[in-house]
């Protein structure tokens, strides 16, 4: 399949992000990638086939041996899944750092493959940002820890803290997120990449909150990018998926892990994800705009004690965000004035438009109480240290009209 992908890149290389989001991955006449040479559907079909046959066994032999492009078995490759992967390559990669994409059944399966591809196993150390998504931290400690990996945490917003720790620990890999949950701290990826590279370690960046619309970590020096495609990439809250985009040698290793562990994305989910990806730039533009509007309005509201959003001058990473992100993202977090858990629950229960649901990145505005959802498993003292207070609410802005989102938030605040 590599030959197909290279050809596709040269066709699309000069086109802009919005254009690549719509056309990448699709089978077009003359692109040399048409699966059967007879039909040119404008939308890649769902290839619901476990296995692929060929004209003769010699061809099957060459395809299985990697000497000829083609498909053999769906755990290795499937045309619909490959279409989604090629689209991701066109969005996350660049000429200098193209990366190969592999789709997984979930973001967690993708993170597991990324860590395995970076050879995090046996007696080694992994340095992980303490702001990481809870299940990623638990995966590291419980699953990789069981094989002998020592997991050390550092403040992902402080590259100096990483520099100090990396010298002492000589880690196999460093794991960070572009934008943290729920306080939306922004990682200085170029600086972290420089420190990690100088130490001879592998940098894995979870770009779920950022998406390639805001940042392309491979371009900034990361080795492996991971996504929960369940979120912004697919964008409609209707599928679970994950992606690894990696440079050599990690690309081949991630592919091998997927073949052997088997956490591959199904063709129907790949079809939905490819369809969702086409509107990523439009959705992100609107979601960023909505988040800025919500942050500005809530900042002036008497029943809101504090708003966390990188567009606000008092956000600790406002400067970093301007430097490393194309925009400030679609999430906003805020603390209710004189509030506790009960106040947060009352506020969330009073919402009429925003949907109470523990996810993000959808076309609908979603609201959660981080202390009892994403950060539920942490001890109260760890939550306190990370700033996840009982009165904190996180909003993932959708694509609705900003005034309707703000009105819903204001009516819920009025009822407190
Ligand atoms: N990474 C981040 C930043 C997430 O927020 C999540 C899920 O919320 C994941 C990874 C895991 O993704 P999935 O639920 O698709 O396995």
């Amino acid at each position: 399949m590599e030959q197909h992908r290279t050809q596709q890149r040269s066709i699309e290389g000069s086109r802009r992000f919005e254009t690549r989001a719509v056309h990448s991955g699709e089978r077009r006449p003359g692109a040399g990638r048409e699966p059967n040479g007879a039909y040119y559907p404008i939308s890649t079909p769902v290839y619901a086939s476990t296995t692929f046959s060929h004209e003769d066994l010699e061809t099957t032999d060459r395809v299985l041996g990697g000497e000829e492009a083609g498909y053999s078995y769906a755990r290795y490759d499937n045309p619909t899944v490959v279409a989604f992967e090629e689209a991701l390559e066109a969005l996350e990669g660049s000429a200098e750092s193209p990366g190969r994409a592999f789709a997984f059944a979930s973001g967690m399966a993708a993170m597991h493959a990324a860590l395995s591809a970076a050879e995090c196993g046996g007696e080694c150390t992994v340095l992980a940002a303490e702001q990481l998504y809870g299940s990623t931290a638990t995966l590291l400690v419980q699953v990789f820890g069981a094989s002998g990996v020592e997991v050390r945490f550092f403040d992902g917003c402080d590259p100096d803290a990483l520099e100090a720790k990396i010298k002492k620990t000589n880690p196999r890999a460093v794991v960070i997120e572009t934008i943290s949950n729920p306080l939306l701290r922004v990682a200085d990826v170029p600086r972290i990449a420089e420190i990690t590279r100088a130490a001879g370690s592998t940098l894995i960046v979870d770009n779920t909150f950022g998406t390639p619309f805001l940042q392309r970590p491979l371009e900034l020096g990361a080795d492996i990018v991971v996504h929960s495609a369940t979120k912004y990439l697919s964008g409609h809250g209707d599928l679970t998926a994950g992606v690894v985009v990696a440079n050599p040698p990690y690309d081949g290793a991630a592919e091998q892990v997927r073949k052997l562990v088997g956490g591959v994305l199904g063709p129907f989910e790949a079809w939905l994800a490819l369809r969702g990806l086409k509107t990523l730039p439009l959705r992100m533009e609107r979601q960023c705009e909505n988040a800025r509007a919500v942050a500005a309005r809530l900042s002036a509201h008497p029943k809101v004690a504090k708003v966390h959003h990188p567009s606000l001058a008092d956000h600790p990473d406002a400067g970093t965000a301007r430097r490393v992100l194309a925009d400030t993202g679609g999430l906003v977090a805020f603390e209710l004035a004189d509030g506790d858990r009960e106040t947060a629950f009352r506020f969330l229960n009073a919402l009429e438009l925003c949907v109470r649901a523990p996810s993000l990145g959808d076309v609908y505005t979603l609201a959660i109480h981080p202390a009892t959802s994403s950060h539920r498993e942490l001890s109260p003292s760890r939550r306190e240290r990370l700033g996840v207070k009982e009165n904190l609410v996180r909003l993932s802005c959708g694509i609705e009209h900003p005034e309707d989102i703000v009105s819903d938030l204001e009516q819920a605040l009025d009822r407190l």
Side-chain angles (χ1 to χ4, degrees), residues 279-293:
T279 53
L280 175 73
L282 293 175
R283 287 186 281 109
M284 283 300 286
E285 233 172 78
R286 181 59 171 260
Q287 283 161 319
C288 290
E289 212 177 288
N290 284 355
R292 268 196 307 278

Side-chain angles (χ1 to χ4, degrees), residues 105-109 111 133 135-136 177 179 181 206 208-209 226-231 240-242 358-360 394:
S106 68
M108 292 312 299
M111 181 54 86
Y133 174 58
S135 295
T136 305
E177 287 172 9
I179 303 174
N181 179 34
D206 182 331
T208 300
F209 278 40
V226 175
H227 280 278
S228 166
T230 313
K231 312 295 184 328
T240 304
S359 192
L360 65 123
R394 189 198 76 192

Side-chain angles (χ1 to χ4, degrees), residues 266-286:
F268 183 60
E269 282 79 7
W271 184 82
L272 278 175
L274 179 64
R275 180 181 160 118
L277 199 58
K278 292 178 192 304
T279 53
L280 175 73
L282 293 175
R283 287 186 281 109
M284 283 300 286
E285 233 172 78
R286 181 59 171 260

Side-chain angles (χ1 to χ4, degrees), residues 3 40 51 60 64 66 143 152 158-159 183 187 190 195 202 251 256 278-279 290 293 329-330 343 403:
Q3 178 189 329
Y40 300 110
T51 320
T60 307
L64 281 171
V143 178
R152 300 275 206 95
D158 181 2
L183 299 189
I195 296 167
T202 305
D251 54 345
Q256 184 70 351
K278 292 178 192 304
T279 53
N290 284 355
T343 323
E403 282 306 319

